[in-house]
Amino acid sequence: MTSLDLSPAPGAASRARRLRAQTAMELRLTVRNGEQMVVTFVIPLLLLIVGSRSDRFIDSDRPLDVLAPGVLGLAIVSTSFTSLAIATAFERRYGVLKRLGATPLSRSGLLGGKVGAVAILQVAQFAVLGGLAVALGWRPEEPVAGVVWLLVLGLLGTIAFGGLGLLLAGTLRAEATLALANLIYVLLLVGGGLLLPLDRHPEAARGLVTLLPSGALGEGLREAFATGSPGTFVVVVLAVWAVVAAAAAGRWFRWE
Amino acid sequence: MHYGRGDGQVRAVDGLSLQVAPGTVTAILGPNGAGKTTTIETCEGFRRPQSGQVRVLGLDPVGDAEELRPRVGVMLQSGGAWLGVRAGEMLRHMASLYAHPMPVEPLVERLGMTSFARTTYRRLSGGQKQRLSLAMAIVGRPELVFLDEPTAGLDPQSRRATWDLVDELRRHGVTTVLTTHYMDEAQQLSDFVHIIDAGRVIASGTPTELVADGAQNTIRLRTRAGLDTDSLAKELPAGATVAEPEPGHYVLTTGVDPAVLHRLTGWCAAHDVLVDSVLVEHQTLEDRFLELTGRELR
């Protein structure tokens, strides 16, 4: 039998090391999870390819101008909302949050790891989806301003959708979160102003859609890549959602 | 520690007081629903006591959590790992959160985890999960370890391995608090046992003390039929009883020590009784436990 030194030598790893370890772990687990990869990469990729080859959904001679920003917005929602909510809900159910909360990582480190993993995944999504869109012929009018606004709106959208995702995960049962997070993803994709521009929605619904975080994100990105600015209105809408969702998650999230 | 916990309907733990000495193994023993997990989770800082005071290593488990977390190892009753994580990977991840962790490979070998180190958590058997969970509790080299039912559902070999490890932790100066409802585990493993029931400590002491506190032991004597049981009873300490439920089969209920046995055999010699067999039945912790907590199912 190997001799093992069991004598106490307590101590926490540095905060940076803990955060790095947790972020890397979150990333590995997400990448290994097939369903999450389908939601975050496969579906946006397919929508981009199919949408650019068909004029059924977007009636324009430059469909990618409409489609590509929408797919980037969808990518933001897929990681910060759907994937985050489902993963966190099961972590809560299986006591991972509880167990890691009792290590030097603590709850703030858990949250930090999630933020890090989501951010890295989103950068990868932007690279893959944006790259493919360009390869398919996407030539936005305002590429530089568009990318800057992608990062700004992406940050606000991530806080808003991340807060909503954590709110689901921290209050509902894991199965309910799984079902709702996927359902909301599909609903926002189709009717939330994310993928299809506002003028493709029924007239009566347009007012509501512009007030949704998905509508603000989709419209804002399309505007930014076309004209160089998303307009004040969508920034305000997204910022309000970000503040409200983060506060609600902080207030109601239960760790066990 | 002295605290209460529970709401209007259920007071899971009510005015429970206990202390744990450093470098010892303490078992918290009790029937299901006695408040074992509530007690241990309050010490781990997962629950806030509603009254009273809990101090762990002199610190408040909730208020001083940041200082306590590196020093305290926790084994939950179940769960605590991602379904998709490999056993060895989970352990390495835990190790990376501490400043001076145990080397992972020797720990994996020591706990017999080599064969499933690359298996994902969702495919581990119950016993394998338990072993991983135990490894996760100690990999950060804590000075105090809380183990909530560490051997529940383990096969006998794994149970022994866990006992050996706890024993070795004690020799290295680690303090262990564990809950169990296995009497033999508490008896073999622990320096102190607290038996709790309905949220209160109903008996405390070393396993030997607890058993000695209990009722009389039994001596079974086989020899010829028709002895004078009254005469024999008078020879034994006050309160002893002697019965002959079957001819030639005597049951003596008495406190037992070497002097009592000597008097018993002396009485036999004086009465020309050749003993076929004499069997001393010690009370186990289990007998004592059932005596204290009652035999009804709950």
Side-chain angles (χ1 to χ4, degrees), chain A residues 10 38 64 73 80 88 118 171 222 240:
Chain A
V38 167
L64 278 166
S80 65
T88 308
V118 165
T171 52
R222 279 185 288 273
V240 169

Side-chain angles (χ1 to χ4, degrees), chain B residues 139-273:
Chain B
V139 71
R141 304 191 45 183
E143 53 196 286
L144 168 64
V145 183
F146 289 107
L147 309 176
D148 200 356
E149 299 194 3
T151 60
L154 290 188
D155 61 33
Q157 288 85 350
S158 309
R159 256 181 106 195
R160 291 283 159 180
T162 302
W163 290 2
D164 288 347
L165 187 77
V166 171
D167 197 44
E168 209 176 319
L169 284 169
R170 167 173 40 205
R171 277 189 274 117
H172 283 85
V174 177
T175 309
T176 303
V177 177
L178 59 91
T179 69
T180 182
H181 34 224
Y182 296 124
M183 310 304 138
D184 53 342
E185 184 160 294
Q187 194 154 13
Q188 293 236 358
L189 205 55
S190 49
D191 302 302
F192 297 100
V193 180
H194 299 280
I195 300 182
I196 70 174
D197 192 18
R200 290 173 179 279
V201 174
I202 53 174
S204 289
T206 65
T208 323
E209 281 168 2
L210 279 175
V211 171
D213 281 352
Q216 314 271 14
N217 290 316
T218 301
I219 300 175
R220 296 185 187 277
L221 183 73
R222 281 182 182 276
T223 179
R224 64 180 155 81
L227 298 184
D228 181 353
T229 53
D230 287 341
S231 160
L232 177 53
K234 279 193 200 103
E235 190 67 22
L236 299 173
T241 62
V242 180
E244 190 181 3
E246 294 169 46
H249 182 178
Y250 301 88
V251 177
L252 290 62
T253 312
T254 174
V256 180
D257 59 26
V260 169
L261 274 183
H262 187 71
R263 272 146 78 184
L264 170 63
T265 49
W267 184 90
C268 290
H271 292 77
D272 195 25
V273 172

Side-chain angles (χ1 to χ4, degrees), chain A residues 22 32 91 94 98 103, chain B residues 41 69 80 82 89 93 99:
Chain A
Q22 183 66 15
R32 219 180 276 164
E91 285 174 342
Y94 291 113
K98 182 177 179 178
T103 67
Chain B
E41 291 201 340
R69 278 186 214 111
W82 290 281
E89 184 183 29
H93 180 56

Side-chain angles (χ1 to χ4, degrees), chain B:
Chain B
M1 173 171 78
H2 179 93
Y3 72 94
R5 158 101 210 161
D7 57 31
Q9 275 101 37
V10 184
R11 269 188 100 73
V13 171
D14 188 4
L16 184 146
S17 289
L18 56 85
Q19 282 201 328
V20 170
T24 59
V25 177
T26 298
I28 299 175
L29 192 62
N32 291 334
K36 299 188 295 292
T37 297
T38 306
T39 300
I40 212 163
E41 291 201 340
T42 308
C43 297
E44 291 161 347
F46 291 129
R47 297 154 185 263
R48 208 182 277 272
Q50 283 164 348
S51 61
Q53 207 187 32
V54 181
R55 284 291 172 268
V56 173
L57 303 170
L59 298 166
D60 172 4
V62 179
D64 304 317
E66 193 176 348
E67 201 178 326
L68 273 174
R69 278 186 214 111
R71 301 172 65 187
V72 177
V74 168
M75 177 179 178
L76 299 180
Q77 213 176 88
S78 64
W82 290 281
L83 290 187
V85 77
R86 298 191 177 93
E89 184 183 29
M90 186 70 209
L91 195 52
R92 274 193 303 282
H93 180 56
M94 290 294 291
S96 71
L97 304 175
Y98 293 89
H100 324 284
M102 289 178 199
V104 170
E105 282 314 310
L107 181 59
V108 163
E109 265 176 55
R110 174 70 173 74
L111 282 173
M113 294 169 55
T114 314
S115 64
F116 60 87
R118 292 194 53 77
T119 308
T120 53
Y121 188 76
R122 71 159 59 78
R123 296 185 195 285
L124 298 181
S125 72
Q128 292 169 337
K129 286 178 182 167
Q130 291 283 88
R131 269 184 272 172
L132 170 61
S133 187
L134 179 63
M136 284 162 59
I138 64 170
V139 71
R141 304 191 45 183
E143 53 196 286
L144 168 64
V145 183
F146 289 107
L147 309 176
D148 200 356
E149 299 194 3
T151 60
L154 290 188
D155 61 33
Q157 288 85 350
S158 309
R159 256 181 106 195
R160 291 283 159 180
T162 302
W163 290 2
D164 288 347
L165 187 77
V166 171
D167 197 44
E168 209 176 319
L169 284 169
R170 167 173 40 205
R171 277 189 274 117
H172 283 85
V174 177
T175 309
T176 303
V177 177
L178 59 91
T179 69
T180 182
H181 34 224
Y182 296 124
M183 310 304 138
D184 53 342
E185 184 160 294
Q187 194 154 13
Q188 293 236 358
L189 205 55
S190 49
D191 302 302
F192 297 100
V193 180
H194 299 280
I195 300 182
I196 70 174
D197 192 18
R200 290 173 179 279
V201 174
I202 53 174
S204 289
T206 65
T208 323
E209 281 168 2
L210 279 175
V211 171
D213 281 352
Q216 314 271 14
N217 290 316
T218 301
I219 300 175
R220 296 185 187 277
L221 183 73
R222 281 182 182 276
T223 179
R224 64 180 155 81
L227 298 184
D228 181 353
T229 53
D230 287 341
S231 160
L232 177 53
K234 279 193 200 103
E235 190 67 22
L236 299 173
T241 62
V242 180
E244 190 181 3
E246 294 169 46
H249 182 178
Y250 301 88
V251 177
L252 290 62
T253 312
T254 174
V256 180
D257 59 26
V260 169
L261 274 183
H262 187 71
R263 272 146 78 184
L264 170 63
T265 49
W267 184 90
C268 290
H271 292 77
D272 195 25
V273 172
L274 181 61
V275 174
D276 292 328
S277 75
V278 57
L279 177 69
V280 179
E281 288 181 354
H282 283 285
Q283 199 192 23
T284 62
L285 196 54
E286 179 149 358
D287 300 325
R288 182 72 181 129
F289 178 81
L290 290 172
E291 202 175 285
L292 285 165
T293 61
R295 285 175 182 275
E296 75 275 18
L297 285 173
R298 44 185 106 199

Side-chain angles (χ1 to χ4, degrees), chain A residues 226-241:
Chain A
T227 69
S229 164
T232 319
F233 182 70
V234 301
V235 178
V236 171
V237 169
L238 266 186
V240 169
W241 274 100

